[in-house]
Amino acid sequence: LYEAGEESITFRSGPVLVRAADGRLEVFANAEDTAIYHKYQLTPNGGAGWSPWLQIAGSAGMEGTPSAILSSEGSMQLFSRSASKSLMYNAQLRNASGVYWAGWQSLSGELSSSPSAIIDSESMLHVFVRGVQSQLYEKTEVADPATGALAWSRWQCLGGSLASHPNVPATLNGANLLEVYARHDDGAIWFKKQHATDSTPYEVAWSDWHSLGGPGEAGGGFSSGPSSAHSPTCEGVVELFARASSGAIYHKRQSTHGASQWSLWTSLGGKAAATPASLYTPGGALHVFYLGSDGQVQHTVREAACAAKRGANATANATSSSRWRGWRPLPPSSPPLKTYEC
C-alpha cells in the first residue's frame, strides 16, 4: 500500500469514497492520530496509480467517519464530527495557485454519529446525523429569497431509533428525491425516503421508516450501518452493503427503481472492521471499499451490469459473489510526487 519514503498510516474509521469533477476517485478516512487523510487517483480510472495519503489541515481531533461530496460547482465538500460532538464543515476552493481547503467551521448540533451528506436537485446540501436520543436529524442549505445568499437551516428531527450513523447515496434517486438508510436498534437496515404530495400545495414530504431486514447469520443482525449507491445505468436502482457480525460484507439490490421488491442479503465475504463504502462510476462499474481488521483498506468491483433489465431472476444473480472480483488491498501509490493538488 505504501511506497518507500511514504509514512505508514493506520486508520480507525471506515473509508468514504467520492468521485472528483474529472472522474478521479478519492478516498477519505480518519486515522489513529485523529486526523482525516485522503488518497486520490492520479488520473481518471486509476491508470497512473494513486497519490500518497495526505492529511487535511486542521482535522486533528475529529471523530468517526467523515462524509465527502462533490458540490454542483465541482469542489469537494467535507463534513465530520468534532470532539465536542458538533458538526464540522470544510470545502475546497480554487484560485490562481490551485485548489486548497477553506478551513473548518462549526454547524452546531449534538451528534451521536458520523454525518452523511448529499446535494438535492436544486444544488443545495443536506446533512443527516443521529442525535443523542438516536433519532435522525437533517440540516439543509437554504437560499435567501432576496439576495440568494446561502445559509444553513435549523436541525429538523425525522424520528427513528438509529443504531448507526445514517447513510445517503452519492446521487439522487430516479425521481430526483432523497433517501436515507440506517441500521436500527433491531439490527436490521431501515430506510426513509422523500415523496411528492398529491394535494395542494404540492411539496416534498418524508415517508415512514421501512425495514429491509438483516443478514440472517447466527450471530444476529448487522454490526454496521449500510452503504448505499444508486445505479446510473439502471434508472436509479439502489444497491446496499453492510457488515455482519462475522465481519463479512453483505449486499442487497432493489429489483427496479422505487420498487418494494429486493434481492435477499448475500455475502461477499471479507473481514471488515467498519462500515463499507460504495460508489458507481459513470459507466456503471460498482466499487466497494472496507476497512480491514489489519487497519488497511480493501477493495472489490463489479463491472457494469443492469440486472433489472434482464428479468426477475437476474436481480438475485447480480448479488452473487461470482460477479465480484475478490477483495484486494487498495492499489499502492506511484513514486511520491513533487507537488500535490490538496
Side-chain angles (χ1 to χ4, degrees), residues 9 32 43 47-48 54 108 130 155 157 181 187 214 235 302 318 322 329:
I9 303 168
E32 288 290 349
T43 58
L54 304 169
S108 73
R130 182 184 65 183
W155 289 103
C157 181
Y181 297 82
E235 300 176 347
R302 189 190 69 202
S322 64

Side-chain angles (χ1 to χ4, degrees), residues 211-222:
S211 176
L212 293 173
E217 288 191 346
F222 285 110

Side-chain angles (χ1 to χ4, degrees), residues 203-239:
E203 57 185 14
V204 172
W206 285 96
S207 72
D208 294 330
W209 286 97
H210 299 279
S211 176
L212 293 173
E217 288 191 346
F222 285 110
S223 58
S224 83
S227 175
S228 54
H230 282 128
S231 170
T233 57
C234 301
E235 300 176 347
V237 164
V238 179
E239 310 254 5

Side-chain angles (χ1 to χ4, degrees), residues 29-53:
N30 192 307
E32 288 290 349
D33 63 5
T34 76
I36 297 173
Y37 288 77
H38 73 141
K39 187 182 186 78
Y40 54 83
Q41 290 178 328
L42 299 177
T43 58
N45 300 318
W50 293 72
S51 75
W53 286 105

Side-chain angles (χ1 to χ4, degrees), residues 1-2 8-15 29-32 53 271-273 290-298:
L1 182 60
Y2 300 97
S8 178
I9 303 168
T10 300
F11 296 100
R12 63 174 185 165
S13 80
N30 192 307
E32 288 290 349
W53 286 105
K271 193 67 175 179
Y290 74 76
L291 178 67
S293 54
D294 59 357
Q296 302 304 321
V297 177
Q298 299 289 322

Side-chain angles (χ1 to χ4, degrees), residues 89-219:
Y89 169 59
N90 202 346
Q92 281 186 337
L93 300 176
R94 184 182 295 274
N95 60 20
S97 300
V99 175
Y100 64 97
W101 290 98
W104 294 97
Q105 61 174 296
S106 175
L107 298 182
S108 73
E110 194 172 359
L111 285 58
S112 64
S113 80
S114 300
S116 189
I118 190 172
I119 295 177
D120 66 18
S121 58
E122 296 179 336
S123 300
M124 298 298 185
L125 285 164
H126 294 246
V127 187
F128 297 88
V129 303
R130 182 184 65 183
V132 293
Q133 295 181 330
S134 300
Q135 295 176 311
L136 177 67
Y137 282 83
E138 177 190 19
K139 184 180 276 281
T140 308
E141 254 186 342
V142 292
D144 186 301
T147 66
L150 295 179
W152 287 95
S153 71
R154 294 184 177 182
W155 289 103
Q156 176 188 5
C157 181
L158 298 178
S161 183
L162 281 61
S164 76
H165 74 272
N167 175 267
V168 290
T171 58
L172 302 176
N173 65 22
N176 281 330
L177 296 174
L178 305 181
E179 300 178 359
V180 184
Y181 297 82
R183 176 170 60 103
H184 270 53
D185 53 13
D186 61 355
I189 302 300
W190 290 63
F191 75 97
K192 189 180 189 76
K193 64 181 182 179
Q194 287 181 333
H195 61 89
T197 59
D198 55 6
S199 60
T200 54
Y202 298 110
E203 57 185 14
V204 172
W206 285 96
S207 72
D208 294 330
W209 286 97
H210 299 279
S211 176
L212 293 173
E217 288 191 346

